[in-house]
């Protein structure tokens, strides 16, 4: 086993060198297909965040499993600094960024996630400093997609997606419909780690040659246990707890989206949504309602628009959003308000100067304006210069330099938790967060190969972190604290396709210098929980026409944190193989394993990591 793990590490480390040696190119800003090999999760049904698990641009820090509760970190940011948007509007969770990715829609309804950072995050994101995960809405095509599986730890899952095109077609447009239902349950890859999830979603769509209108609704009910989910063993030992915590999450989301494309570049899009999220957290499942103070219900109403217009002398990008939030909580009451409204507007002109038939210089300058009825307003300027060029070796290349400021306000768990007692200690005096990002990058798109490399420096001011102090023993509470952090980073990835082989390689380097303005802080749960080095590889190999092998790998060397009970470096590997039945091309059988090496790595310090899982099942795909 150790030899196999060592071999995998060597392959992860040297494969970028081999690929660069063959192509003599450097890493693209977007990956046209998926950045990972295994699209369906091994332990539950697919969710919109599932394909981010081994994505080289995103670090998912999970509790129980990715689809249970996973914090999305981008470029060394925290879960609170990451935004999620569908269409033209940000999906805000007022309670905490832990739940911002609770999207009760089938990923079959959504486009592949796009990772927005820097200038794009400032223009199109909302209340996010490090980056935004952005989803579009797919056009509906006739389809049936069924999946069922069983596995170790008594795993069983079922999911189904059905789409029907042309319910009505009057020659100028068509009415389409798609529906989704999914369920999974398992005892857990660790003792006392069971889960029980279910989701229902549906969509009506009117589409024609220039516009697409979607009306969709989703509901998801998730229950899961996990040892030391949030609280450290010191607290559980002090109160004589079993150490097993639980979350019950119920999320409803209704969304309207309308997009008009006037030509290949100009478009206008408007989005509106209502989101209700209920959270019932138990500190000790053996004693339900212990302290009885962790029940929350949040409601958010949001609407937004975005567009791009090509004019005679310059191009114009613009976005706007208005969001209203409300929180009803049994615990988050130590603040003067529980409602808040937000507004944002961004205007960004671009000027293109043609140098030759294949070379252009593009200059960008603009600003975003954020306001809240509870906080100071803020302007966030952006500026950039891009050299867009072609040559005999590639169809698209660009070299860019950009600066972008972004801003956000803290959530209610940080603002309104009891500041003197309890598991989460809040801070009513937390300030608006500001982030300044400078980056230099290079992108290449050459048909079968896409590459991207960027070097960036981000200054996070008044970042909200949850910190640990040994002075609070034996309760080991986490306290909301402002911190200033300088982040230095390099991100790179390359995607390459051959006849039977697809390969995606990624590498990220991160280094931070932090200033908490206090000597009492011993450790950070989130802001300083990041990998100094992270390598990812995703491989799809078509062994035969009906036999496909897939593998995702991640090696990471994590920043030291004395709260972590595992080693600071690890290798995660997931493997899947599928066989399509001859003469029945819609049906395939699969075998898969997650955490192949059965490593015990804590994604979040003090929270036990997932164990190994085997599963086998059947897929039926009409298309």
């Amino acid at each position: 086993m150790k030899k196999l793990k060592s071999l995998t590490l060597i392959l992860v480390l040297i494969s970028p060198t081999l690929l660069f040696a063959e192509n003599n190119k450097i890493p693209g800003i977007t990956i046209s297909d998926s950045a990972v090999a295994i699209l369906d999760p091994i332990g539950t049904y697919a969710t919109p965040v599932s394909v981010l698990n081994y994505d080289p641009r995103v670090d998912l820090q999970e509790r129980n499993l990715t689809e249970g509760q996973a914090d999305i970190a981008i470029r060394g940011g925290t879960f609170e600094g990451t935004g999620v948007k569908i269409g033209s509007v940000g999906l805000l969770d007022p309670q905490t960024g832990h739940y911002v990715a609770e999207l009760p829609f089938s990923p079959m309804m959504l486009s592949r996630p796009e990772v927005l950072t820097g200038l794009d995050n400032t223009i199109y994101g909302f209340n996010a400093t490090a980056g935004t995960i952005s989803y579009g809405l797919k056009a509906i095509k006739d389809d049936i997609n069924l999946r069922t599986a069983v596995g170790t730890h008594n795993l069983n899952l079922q999911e189904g997606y059905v789409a029907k095109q042309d319910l009505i077609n009057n020659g100028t447009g068509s009415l389409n419909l798609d529906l989704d239902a999914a369920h999974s349950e398992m005892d857990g890859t660790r003792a006392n780690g069971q889960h029980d999830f279910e989701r229902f979603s549906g969509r009506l769509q009117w589409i024609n040659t220039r516009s697409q209108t979607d009306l969709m609704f989703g509901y998801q009910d998730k229950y899961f246990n996990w040892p030391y989910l949030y609280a450290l063993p010191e607290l559980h030992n002090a109160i004589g707890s079993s150490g097993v915590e639980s979350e019950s999450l119920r999320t409803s989301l209704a969304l309207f989206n309308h997009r008009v494309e006037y030509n290949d570049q100009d478009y206008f899009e408007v989005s509106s949504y209502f989101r209700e999220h209920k959270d019932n957290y138990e500190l000790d499942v053996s004693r339900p309602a212990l302290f009885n103070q962790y029940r929350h219900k949040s409601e958010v109403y949001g609407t937004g628009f975005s567009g791009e217009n090509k004019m005679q002398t310059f191009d114009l990008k613009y976005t706007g959003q208005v969001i209203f939030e409300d929180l009803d909580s049994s615990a988050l009451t130590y603040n003067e308000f529980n409602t808040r409204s937000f507004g944002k507007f961004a205007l960004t002109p671009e000027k293109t100067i043609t140098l030759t038939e294949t070379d252009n210089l593009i200059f960008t300058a603009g600003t975003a304006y954020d306001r809240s009825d509870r906080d100071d307003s803020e302007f966030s300027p952006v500026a950039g210069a891009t050299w867009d060029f072609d040559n005999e070796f590639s169809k698209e290349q660009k070299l860019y330099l950009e600066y972008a400021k972004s801003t956000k306000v803290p959530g209610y768990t940080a603002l309104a938790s009891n500041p003197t007692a309890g598991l989460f200690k809040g801070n009513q005096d937390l300030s608006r967060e500001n982030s300044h990002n400078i980056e230099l990058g290079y992108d290449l798109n050459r048909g079968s190969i896409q590459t991207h490399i960027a070097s960036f420096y981000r200054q996070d001011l008044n970042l909200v972190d949850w910190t640990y102090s040994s002075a609070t023993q034996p309760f080991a509470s986490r306290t909301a604290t402002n911190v200033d952090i300088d982040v230095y980073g390099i991100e790179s990835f390359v995607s390459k396709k051959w006849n039977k082989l697809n390969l995606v390689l990624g590498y990220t380097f991160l280094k931070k210098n932090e200033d908490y303005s206090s000597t009492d802080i011993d450790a950070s749960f989130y802001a300083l929980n990041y990998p100094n080095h992270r390598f990812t590889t995703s491989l799809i190999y078509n062994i035969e026409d009906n036999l496909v092998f897939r593998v995702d790998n991640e090696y990471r060397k994590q920043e030291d944190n004395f709260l972590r009970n595992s080693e600071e470096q690890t290798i995660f590997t997931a493997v899947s193989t599928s066989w399509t039945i001859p003469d029945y091309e819609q049906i395939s059988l699969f075998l898969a394993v997650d955490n192949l090496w059965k490593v015990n790595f804590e994604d979040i310090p003090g929270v036990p990591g997932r164990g190994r899982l085997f599963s086998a099942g059947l897929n039926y795909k009409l298309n």
Side-chain angles (χ1 to χ4, degrees), residues 325-452:
E325 66 178 24
D326 181 276
L327 179 71
D328 182 12
S329 172
S330 62
L332 306 180
T333 58
Y334 292 84
N335 199 56
E336 62 182 7
F337 61 87
N338 63 349
T339 63
R340 188 161 48 182
S341 64
F342 301 85
K344 177 179 178 177
F345 181 72
L347 189 65
T348 311
E350 283 190 349
K351 176 65 176 178
T352 300
I353 299 175
T354 301
L355 301 178
T356 68
E357 291 184 358
T358 59
D359 290 16
N360 298 296
L361 284 178
I362 304 170
F363 295 98
T364 303
T367 189
Y369 172 72
D370 288 87
R371 69 160 301 277
S372 163
D373 63 343
R374 307 292 187 179
D375 309 272
D376 294 336
S377 300
E378 195 82 22
F379 283 96
S380 299
V382 298
T386 301
W387 178 26
D388 194 346
F389 61 100
D390 297 339
N391 58 34
E392 66 272 23
F393 299 109
S394 68
K395 296 180 179 179
E396 274 184 41
Q397 291 186 88
K398 70 175 183 178
L399 181 69
Y400 67 91
L401 175 66
E402 67 178 39
Y403 161 79
K405 176 186 173 184
S406 55
T407 183
K408 74 175 299 293
V409 297
Y412 287 105
T413 299
L415 286 170
S417 293
N418 188 334
T420 60
L423 175 58
F424 309 98
K425 290 187 176 181
N427 185 348
Q428 298 182 41
D429 299 323
L430 293 172
S431 305
R432 176 185 281 273
E433 302 176 34
N434 288 306
S435 180
H436 302 266
N437 184 82
I438 301 173
E439 87 179 73
L440 175 67
Y442 170 76
D443 298 326
L444 166 70
N445 186 349
R446 189 182 159 190
S448 65
I449 183 169
Q450 298 177 59
T451 60
H452 165 71

Side-chain angles (χ1 to χ4, degrees), residues 468-492:
Y468 169 92
S469 173
S470 57
T472 63
Q473 294 292 342
F475 299 105
S477 300
R478 57 194 71 198
T479 302
T481 308
N482 278 135
V483 58
D484 295 340
I485 300 183
D486 294 331
V487 184
Y488 303 87
I490 297 173
E491 69 173 15
S492 60

Side-chain angles (χ1 to χ4, degrees), residues 16-30:
T17 305
L18 295 175
L19 193 64
F20 293 144
E22 178 182 341
N23 294 284
N24 195 27
K25 296 294 179 183
I26 315 172
I29 191 88
T30 60

Side-chain angles (χ1 to χ4, degrees), residues 24 78 102 124 171 316 416 433:
N24 195 27
T78 69
E102 294 298 323
Y124 298 106
L316 189 64
E433 302 176 34

Side-chain angles (χ1 to χ4, degrees), residues 486-549:
D486 294 331
V487 184
Y488 303 87
I490 297 173
E491 69 173 15
S492 60
F493 61 79
V494 56
S495 171
K496 170 66 178 175
K497 293 182 179 180
W498 290 274
N499 184 31
K500 291 189 174 184
L501 179 68
N502 292 355
L503 185 64
V504 179
L505 306 171
Y507 168 70
T508 301
F509 165 79
L510 291 169
K511 179 62 180 175
K512 295 186 178 185
N513 294 328
E514 69 279 359
D515 180 8
Y516 287 94
S517 299
S518 173
T519 58
D520 295 331
I521 294 171
D522 297 315
S524 159
F525 284 93
Y526 303 112
L528 301 186
N529 179 40
Y530 65 96
N532 300 119
H533 303 278
R534 180 172 180 251
F535 293 88
T536 60
T537 65
S538 295
L539 178 147
I540 303 175
Y541 179 50
N542 293 277
I543 302 173
E544 300 290 346
D545 290 341
N546 63 340
L547 185 62
V548 180
F549 175 77

